[in-house]
Amino acid sequence: EFTLQNTSPIDLISDNFTAGELIRSEIAVRREINNWFRLDAQLQAAIFLCRNVLQPLRDEFGRFSPNSVYRCQTLERALKNKPVSWSSRSQHTLGEAADIEIPGLSTLRLAEWCRDNLLFDQIILEMVTPTDVASGWVHISVTRTANRGQKLSYVLRDGKYIYVTGFVSI
């Protein structure tokens, strides 16, 4: 069992992923934010996500790097321009979510493949435009307990982004 005490960013946690790939963030690097896991439960949740979502995707589609997996609260605040007093409820902060794009694969097709082939809590088709099949990304989460199987899209309607049921474009 991986713990904070016995795991480093270079440790292989699945056939092809290292623990460091689960904390990678250009914003964290630029802003000098330590985005390493804070709790064993976050690390273990991210490894579960890696083995049940990221590794099967890599096995099917080849090498890719997730846009974002784990995000500490400091990084979440930086990304969302929130004050220090704000606390995110995102599954990214728990190690349970990843944002994914795979070069050469439409975002909708990626979401559909995930829906049809993976265990998941949520799949959210985010910010996809109908005229650009490579736009946006897929947010996918999985928990080690009860998974809701939600399929959503995050779309622009009347000048505001909202969540809608199912996979739809803006």
Side-chain angles (χ1 to χ4, degrees):
E1 175 122 331
F2 289 92
T3 66
L4 295 176
Q5 199 167 40
N6 71 12
T7 306
S8 78
I10 62 170
D11 289 339
L12 198 62
I13 47 101
S14 74
D15 288 346
N16 302 114
F17 281 91
T18 64
E21 289 180 88
L22 306 181
I23 61 163
R24 185 182 64 81
S25 167
E26 292 177 23
I27 292 174
V29 170
R30 279 197 303 265
R31 296 192 184 187
E32 298 180 347
I33 296 170
N34 175 2
N35 194 44
W36 186 248
F37 303 96
R38 304 310 195 255
L39 303 170
D40 286 338
Q42 295 163 331
L43 170 65
Q44 291 159 5
I47 291 171
F48 184 82
L49 173 107
C50 180
R51 291 177 177 174
N52 289 279
V53 173
L54 302 177
Q55 187 62 52
L57 282 165
R58 194 172 269 183
D59 292 344
E60 181 68 20
F61 298 108
R63 182 153 180 79
F64 73 96
S65 292
N67 297 348
S68 180
V69 180
Y70 174 73
R71 291 186 219 143
C72 67
Q73 289 289 339
T74 304
L75 179 55
E76 273 286 286
R77 285 190 285 274
L79 284 169
K80 297 177 180 172
N81 199 25
K82 298 289 185 178
V84 173
S85 60
W86 181 80
S87 183
S88 175
R89 293 178 37 212
S90 168
Q91 286 181 289
H92 286 282
T93 64
L94 302 174
E96 296 176 343
D99 292 338
I100 303 165
E101 297 172 79
I102 297 181
L105 185 65
S106 82
T107 310
L108 176 60
R109 175 70 184 108
L110 173 59
E112 292 170 337
W113 190 91
C114 291
R115 175 198 64 205
D116 295 342
N117 294 281
L118 300 175
L119 174 68
F120 65 92
D121 182 54
Q122 283 186 321
I123 299 174
I124 306 173
L125 189 61
E126 299 207 41
M127 305 178 87
V128 175
T129 58
T131 56
D132 183 2
V133 297
S135 64
W137 61 89
V138 172
H139 167 98
I140 184 166
S141 63
V142 65
T143 72
R144 292 179 288 172
T145 55
N147 289 292
R148 298 170 286 179
Q150 284 187 327
K151 297 167 285 298
L152 304 168
S153 295
Y154 189 60
V155 299
L156 185 62
R157 296 275 165 87
D158 300 321
K160 185 178 179 183
Y161 280 96
I162 62 167
Y163 290 97
V164 296
T165 302
F167 297 148
V168 299
S169 298
I170 294 175

